[in-house]
Amino acid sequence: MNSQTIVPFVDLIQSNLELKEQLQAVFDEVLTTGIAIGGPFVQRFEKEFAEFCGTKHSVALNSGTDALRFALIAAGITAGDGVLTGPNTFIATGEAITQAGGTCRFIDIDPATSNMSTIALANYLETACEHDSKTGLPIDRATGLRVKAIVPVHLYGQMADMEGILEIAGRYGLFVVEDACQAHGAECLLPKKSEWKTAGSVGRAAAFSFYPAKNLGAMGEGGGLTTDDDAIAAKVRMLRDHGQRQKYFHAFEGYNGRLDAVQTGILSVKLRYLAEWNASRARLAKRYNELLAEVEELALPFEQDWGLGVYHLYVIRTAVRDQLQSHLTAQGIGTGLHYPLPLHLQDAYAHLGYRKGDFPVCEEAASQILSLPMYPQLRDEQQDKVVDAIKEFYATRAAVA
Ligand SMILES: *Cc1c(COP(=O)(O)O)cnc(C)c1O
């Protein structure tokens, strides 16, 4: 067995080294000014990130989880509200819904994209809910929850079918908060408007994560909210700062959810390279698609013609996932599983009463998905090694069979 890493799953060092001087200048500035919380770095990044996403506001926060939690609180989620999301996301999506006071109701996914299925969404609202004459909102028959919001996750860096989701949301009086934590810079065409919209600018609000491994990553924790809604932006600014309207005058209890000057300064530097990095990921994804096209046993990522993905992850599917993953590990190639166990089957959500078989498309995907090395600095010859190792795996299996 070869335990040496030849192609890592992700590389968090190269992009930092390329920008070393600019990044160190941020730290020097904070070191000499002493302005570590709030101040010009935070204000500048918020302005730049809102511009990047095409929204009126962005609010810097200390994680993507907080961004989603604050967005849901500010948009009005309270106890007794059901919030619809996919079961195949990182648990942070579920945690934010619960911590905002809501309860997760899961919707199965589209087998081609792994994003929320609009067919399953419409079906749930039509068949599992009744119409509440008082609020006009759907009531989940099994739990009595009033369904108030949808949180589509732009999984792996591809936007969910926002046209379809917004249409259904409008029909049932629901609001939409995007989980854009994997989708900085992803785009989708909303055909009715014939306009390309950037992730974060489509729902009432959106949450981003700046965790180091994300397409735009800090050198620590970080997150951000985007919205066009003045009231939501104002509320989230207070939520992140103990509900303060003015120092030591608290309109309500909030949180400590601020992002610091060093991280926002670093994010401003990196934001200038994000489009280039995303283009590099897209080129590498296309190259994987071409090189792996002949491997019949694999399903490759499917990209809708109305979307432009930013390939936070490049995820293939195969019936022999575990064997392929072991083979790649033995060859020194890093891989990941996003995510091996759907949320509705996690112990953390046992109390929600879901069972195996409730979301068959998601459950099947969970057993077949494999994330291959993907980062802007991945070199073609490294990618060739990944492809060769995959082809060798299937050739050996065919010879044995
Ligand atoms: C990373 C991620 C989050 C959480 O972001 P943090 O910054 O780690 O809190 C939420 N949702 C999804 C889909 C993510 O990938």
Side-chain angles (χ1 to χ4, degrees):
M1 283 249 176
N2 184 346
S3 60
Q4 203 192 332
T5 303
I6 293 170
V7 186
F9 176 60
V10 65
D11 185 321
L12 299 176
I13 302 167
Q14 283 188 66
S15 60
N16 289 339
L17 290 181
E18 283 166 19
L19 307 175
K20 191 174 173 185
E21 278 163 30
Q22 293 181 70
L23 297 174
Q24 282 181 338
V26 170
F27 179 72
D28 285 345
E29 175 80 11
V30 175
L31 186 139
T32 51
T33 62
I35 306 173
I37 305 289
F41 277 133
V42 178
Q43 284 163 14
R44 189 178 75 181
F45 175 68
E46 288 183 339
K47 189 167 167 287
E48 291 170 348
F49 194 65
E51 265 163 33
F52 178 84
C53 295
T55 55
K56 198 166 164 196
H57 307 280
S58 103
V59 183
L61 299 165
N62 68 8
S63 71
T65 311
D66 267 5
L68 195 53
R69 172 167 57 153
F70 295 170
L72 291 167
I73 295 172
I77 290 300
T78 50
D81 290 343
V83 179
L84 310 179
T85 194
N88 61 333
T89 179
F90 182 48
I91 192 170
T93 316
E95 289 170 330
I97 290 169
T98 311
Q99 290 164 4
T103 302
C104 298
R105 300 309 287 163
F106 297 117
I107 303 293
D108 212 346
I109 59 171
D110 180 306
T113 62
S114 288
N115 277 327
M116 183 181 279
S117 158
T118 50
I119 296 167
L121 175 65
N123 188 47
Y124 164 81
L125 289 163
E126 271 160 34
T127 63
C129 296
E130 54 201 43
H131 184 82
D132 183 35
S133 51
K134 270 187 266 146
T135 61
L137 290 171
I139 301 285
D140 179 291
R141 241 186 250 113
T143 60
L145 293 162
R146 43 174 192 272
V147 178
K148 232 191 224 174
I150 309 172
V151 178
V153 182
H154 303 318
L155 202 69
Y156 309 149
Q158 276 203 58
M159 286 183 74
D161 178 358
M162 294 308 290
E163 170 102 341
I165 289 169
L166 287 174
E167 194 272 313
I168 294 167
R171 210 183 318 147
Y172 287 90
L174 313 180
F175 66 83
V176 175
V177 173
E178 299 165 71
D179 181 337
C181 287
Q182 302 189 359
H184 321 65
E187 291 179 47
C188 77
L189 193 61
L190 290 179
K192 284 183 192 138
K193 289 186 185 158
S194 309
E195 191 188 346
W196 285 97
K197 301 280 279 182
T198 305
S201 71
V202 181
R204 184 175 299 174
F208 288 88
S209 168
F210 304 125
Y211 183 79
K214 303 292 163 100
N215 288 37
L216 179 63
M219 295 179 75
E221 303 284 354
L225 168 128
T226 53
T227 186
D228 284 332
D229 186 317
D230 297 344
I232 287 183
K235 179 90 192 247
V236 171
R237 285 181 193 287
M238 290 173 71
L239 280 166
R240 76 171 170 186
D241 201 18
H242 304 287
Q244 289 189 136
R245 196 166 273 138
Q246 164 193 349
K247 200 167 175 71
Y248 301 137
F249 290 84
H250 308 271
F252 50 83
E253 280 188 334
Y255 301 83
N256 179 350
R258 299 176 301 253
L259 187 57
D260 60 78
V262 170
Q263 299 306 333
T264 48
I266 283 167
L267 289 165
S268 276
V269 172
K270 292 193 173 187
L271 183 58
R272 284 178 229 137
Y273 299 86
L274 180 57
E276 189 186 306
W277 287 337
N278 282 345
S280 175
R281 288 175 185 267
R283 185 190 77 85
L284 289 161
K286 191 158 169 273
R287 196 163 180 276
Y288 266 138
N289 289 345
E290 285 160 9
L291 296 171
L292 292 171
E294 69 193 63
V295 186
E296 277 165 23
E297 296 89 339
L298 288 183
L300 304 179
F302 171 77
E303 202 171 342
Q304 308 272 11
D305 54 10
W306 45 256
L308 267 179
V310 292
Y311 290 92
H312 172 58
L313 296 166
Y314 183 89
V315 181
I316 59 172
R317 284 177 64 165
T318 171
V320 287
R321 189 268 313 282
D322 292 343
Q323 295 94 316
L324 176 60
Q325 185 176 36
S326 306
H327 174 79
L328 294 177
T329 306
Q331 304 283 312
I333 292 165
T335 55
L337 303 181
H338 301 89
Y339 295 92
L341 185 64
L343 293 188
H344 69 286
L345 302 177
Q346 297 275 358
D347 290 346
Y349 292 114
H351 62 280
L352 295 181
Y354 287 109
R355 261 178 268 129
K356 205 172 168 123
D358 282 345
F359 303 105
V361 184
C362 168
E363 290 168 28
E364 183 178 46
S367 68
Q368 298 182 338
I369 46 174
L370 184 66
S371 309
L372 300 182
M374 171 55 79
Y375 39 93
Q377 296 79 13
L378 181 68
R379 297 190 308 275
D380 288 4
E381 60 269 27
Q382 289 178 301
Q383 195 178 31
D384 291 341
K385 290 208 175 88
V386 179
V387 169
D388 290 347
I390 292 171
K391 287 185 178 168
E392 181 195 274
F393 171 80
Y394 286 105
T396 312
R397 282 181 67 84
V400 170

